[in-house]
Amino acid sequence: MKQTAKVMGVTFSKDTLAGTLKTVIGHLDHKDAGYMHIITCNPEIVMASAHDEELRNILGDAGLVTADGIGIVLASRWLGDPLPERVTGFDILMGLLDEGGRKGYSFYLFGADPETNAKAAEVISARYPGLRIAGRQHGYYKPEEEERIIGEIAAAKPDILVVALGAPRAERWLYRNRAKLPVRAAMGVGGSLDVIAGKVKRAPVIWQKMNLEWLYRLLSEPSRWRRQLVLPKFAVRALFSRGRS
């Protein structure tokens, strides 16, 4: 049985990145594998779920919830049930692409702008020739196009559906349409396609090791400052939830 820790009402996997990839790959390699919704959850999502019943249900029903944010890890330590490390959507995706290149997994890329979506598919195909891009669709579509997109994904039957619509929009979209998606695993990946396509640079490894990736992103994209305001609020709420999670 997988070990978990609860942070402010959200249940997180205690697996490391390596353990998480082992779990997901094991699921993908199982002949009768069903649908697995992987959520990489950050403090913003935790805070939003506190007053959003649908989001709480989405998190509760997910096959796997990982700590995508050092704030989650620090809060878990303060609450006395520590998570071992951050397990980000980008790192999970890169691990799955690497494994997919060896095992021939198929991927459907959904989201980001048209140019980024196309470039990411090109880069992935060149870097991992053993995998297959089963299809792709950018995220700038009209509401009336949604059923067509779902139909295309269903027809492609990818092993892994990668959704870059932003959080928690991607998580809501996947939850709402889960019954129509014949895929083995699906996950929201935030801006990962932007990084793969070269549109955005990920923080250097030294910043990642110092758990300052959030600061690097803020310095690189000052417009994110409003989103970062949730971090001190999250810290205060985690402090006061000690003993109640």
Side-chain angles (χ1 to χ4, degrees):
M1 185 159 180
K2 288 292 180 182
Q3 289 190 314
T4 60
K6 190 165 279 193
V7 176
M8 293 165 58
V10 177
T11 301
F12 289 86
S13 166
K14 277 191 171 183
D15 272 342
T16 61
L17 173 61
T20 298
L21 286 171
K22 183 178 180 181
T23 295
V24 178
I25 290 166
H27 175 83
L28 290 167
D29 290 346
H30 195 282
K31 190 181 298 182
D32 301 316
Y35 176 84
M36 174 185 273
H37 185 183
I38 304 156
I39 298 179
T40 57
C41 184
N42 60 24
E44 291 175 76
I45 295 177
V46 172
M47 290 290 284
S49 71
H51 52 79
D52 187 324
E53 184 177 1
E54 181 190 52
L55 193 52
R56 286 198 301 276
N57 290 337
I58 292 170
L59 290 164
D61 289 346
L64 190 64
V65 179
T66 73
D68 190 345
I70 189 59
I72 301 291
V73 177
L74 293 176
S76 72
R77 293 172 184 171
W78 174 249
L79 293 169
D81 196 4
L83 295 163
E85 64 183 19
R86 293 172 63 218
V87 181
T88 72
F90 182 82
D91 289 328
I92 295 174
L93 176 59
M94 298 310 291
L96 292 177
L97 289 173
D98 189 53
E99 189 73 7
R102 288 192 289 270
K103 293 184 176 178
Y105 294 156
S106 59
F107 292 75
Y108 191 105
L109 308 182
F110 176 32
D113 63 74
E115 182 181 346
T116 298
N117 184 283
K119 182 63 177 178
E122 178 186 323
V123 170
I124 289 169
S125 294
R127 193 178 297 169
Y128 308 98
L131 61 73
R132 182 170 65 89
I133 300 294
R136 62 181 186 82
Q137 164 66 45
H138 63 75
Y140 289 71
Y141 62 92
K142 297 176 182 176
E144 57 267 27
E145 296 180 278
E146 185 163 282
E147 286 306 313
R148 170 189 62 78
I149 294 168
I150 293 170
E152 289 180 0
I153 295 171
K157 294 182 179 178
D159 294 313
I160 303 164
L161 173 57
V162 176
V163 182
L165 296 177
R169 183 185 170 198
E171 287 67 35
R172 294 187 197 279
W173 191 91
L174 285 167
Y175 187 75
R176 186 173 70 245
N177 296 300
R178 63 196 185 283
K180 305 175 186 177
L181 300 170
V183 304
R184 294 189 175 193
M187 63 181 294
V189 296
S192 296
L193 297 188
D194 292 320
V195 177
I196 291 171
K199 182 179 178 181
V200 173
K201 287 187 178 180
R202 195 181 185 193
V205 173
I206 185 64
W207 288 71
Q208 296 177 43
K209 288 183 176 179
M210 292 171 64
N211 294 316
L212 291 174
E213 191 167 5
W214 64 271
L215 179 57
Y216 179 88
R217 292 180 69 188
L218 179 59
L219 294 173
S220 302
E221 303 173 66
S223 61
R224 294 177 60 89
W225 71 269
R226 285 186 178 84
R227 292 181 59 185
Q228 299 293 352
L229 290 176
V230 75
L231 296 178
K233 295 178 182 177
F234 172 82
V236 169
R237 184 165 292 183
L239 175 65
F240 282 98
S241 70
R242 189 177 186 181
R244 298 200 304 268
S245 287

